Amino acid sequence: MPNLLKRILLVIPTLLLVSMVIFSLLAILPGDPVTAILGLEATPEAALAMRLRLGLDDPLVVQYGRWLWAVLHGDLGRSFIDNTPVIDSLLQRLPVTMELAVGSFVVALLIALPTGILAAARPNGIANSVSTFIALFGMSVPHFWLGMMFIVLFAVNLGWLPASGYVPFSEDWRGNLLAMIMPMVATGLRESAILMRMIRSSLLEVLNEDYIRTAFSKGLKDWQVVLGHGLRNAMIPVVTASGLMVSGMLGGLVITESIFGIPGMGKMIVDAIFQRDYVLVQAGVLAAALMVVLVNLAVDLLYGVIDPRIAK
């Protein structure tokens, strides 16, 4: 429990540091949000009034303190562009990105787990050759190109799936699945290559340990030794890689979202950067950082489940 409490408490300074870095970086970006809001034809008086209303002429420390105080009270502010509450935009976009990230990870796991185990259990067999081919293919082909090829094949030529768009699961689960399957597979295929190589190398190392040879000498079957004794001890580096993978997808699926027209959080942040909507960018990045921190916290807790000695 003390270790868990320490890890939870570390979330606070981490998020504070992230918020300060993001706030500082946005302040030095070229461009003026007032110009983005009012346009180039705005009069100097109107621009000055807008700057005063938004508090942009205050020192950066004052702006940051005001924003942080509001965030601590549950107010993420309003968009510079359309004056809508930022929290509403986040609540609309965040579940979409989380669904895409989790779905892509499930696809990666479904491919990587069996192929990685087979490749490690039969390092000189055809399974190893097939898994190596999948890994090289997945790592060599850019997922945005794969996504476009999926659209051409399954949407344009065959007409099986929609080319783009998003349907909320709560409205139509079938439409949601049809719209999300291509982006999930396009993203998950690349991630599966990395995960598969990690499972294979980690499991190969464990299978060369003395206790594994002892298990074989007792007459246990191959699958009993690999799955019952080897896989669990090989999962620590795999869990670490999985945590980094999910963290990266939660904040970095903007290309996939753009190609398939998915209204996720990554696309929202990029659009907000181009529009100089700093309030929306700050809230989006802070939410992404919070998710990354929570995923890493979950990975730390999972270490203790896999190997209780780590939790002590």
Side-chain angles (χ1 to χ4, degrees):
M1 184 59 74
N3 287 334
L4 174 62
L5 186 60
K6 287 179 183 176
R7 291 186 178 107
I8 293 175
L9 291 177
L10 277 175
V11 172
I12 299 172
T14 303
L15 292 179
L16 273 177
L17 182 62
V18 169
S19 67
M20 285 190 283
V21 170
I22 295 303
F23 208 93
S24 304
L25 290 178
L26 288 176
I28 62 175
L29 278 180
D32 186 0
V34 173
T35 305
I37 297 170
L38 299 179
L40 296 174
E41 296 78 16
T43 63
E45 293 77 13
L48 179 61
M50 180 61 74
R51 294 187 69 82
L52 290 175
R53 186 173 74 81
L54 299 177
L56 296 176
D57 282 339
D58 294 334
L60 187 61
V61 176
V62 175
Q63 294 182 44
Y64 174 72
R66 185 168 54 225
W67 174 78
L68 184 61
W69 181 257
V71 169
L72 292 176
H73 287 78
D75 181 12
L76 294 176
R78 288 180 172 270
S79 167
F80 281 176
I81 303 303
D82 55 16
N83 201 36
T84 56
V86 168
I87 187 67
D88 291 348
S89 300
L90 278 182
L91 292 178
Q92 289 175 1
R93 304 297 189 99
L94 188 58
V96 180
T97 295
M98 290 178 67
E99 180 186 356
L100 180 57
V102 172
S104 300
F105 178 68
V106 170
V107 170
L109 205 58
L110 289 176
I111 298 172
L113 201 55
T115 54
I117 293 173
L118 283 174
R122 297 286 185 271
N124 298 317
I126 190 171
N128 186 41
S129 302
V130 172
S131 64
T132 301
F133 171 76
I134 293 174
L136 289 175
F137 178 80
M139 288 188 285
S140 304
V141 178
H143 70 280
F144 66 86
W145 181 85
L146 194 62
M148 289 188 286
M149 293 300 103
F150 279 173
I151 291 174
V152 171
L153 178 61
F154 295 108
V156 178
N157 292 336
L158 298 176
W160 291 352
L161 299 169
S164 64
Y166 176 77
V167 179
F169 186 86
S170 57
E171 292 181 7
D172 181 3
W173 67 268
R174 188 172 179 275
N176 175 270
L177 183 60
L178 291 176
M180 296 296 277
I181 189 167
M182 277 200 298
M184 286 177 179
V185 173
T187 306
L189 187 59
R190 175 178 173 77
E191 304 299 337
S192 71
I194 302 169
L195 201 57
M196 190 277 290
R197 299 299 289 179
M198 182 64 71
I199 293 173
R200 178 185 177 277
S201 62
S202 180
L203 191 54
L204 268 177
E205 186 177 342
V206 170
L207 292 180
N208 287 321
E209 297 287 341
D210 290 340
Y211 73 91
I212 294 294
R213 282 191 284 272
T214 303
F216 277 120
S217 68
K218 290 182 178 178
L220 295 177
K221 294 180 180 178
D222 289 359
W223 66 269
Q224 288 177 313
V225 176
V226 173
L227 299 181
H229 296 270
L231 187 60
R232 183 186 181 95
N233 293 321
M235 288 306 288
I236 292 292
V238 177
V239 169
T240 303
S242 300
L244 295 173
M245 185 180 297
V246 174
S247 300
M249 287 192 290
L250 285 171
L253 286 174
V254 59
I255 296 177
T256 304
E257 291 173 354
S258 299
I259 292 174
F260 291 97
I262 299 172
M265 198 174 66
K267 190 172 185 302
M268 179 196 76
I269 294 174
V270 172
D271 291 342
I273 290 174
F274 283 118
Q275 294 173 333
R276 303 294 186 271
D277 195 348
Y278 292 165
V279 178
L280 193 55
V281 176
Q282 290 156 3
V285 174
L286 190 65
L290 177 61
M291 288 191 297
V292 170
V293 170
L294 292 178
V295 168
N296 280 283
L297 180 63
V299 168
D300 284 345
L301 296 177
L302 203 52
Y303 288 159
V305 176
I306 296 173
D307 188 351
R309 293 172 299 179
I310 298 177
K312 293 180 180 177

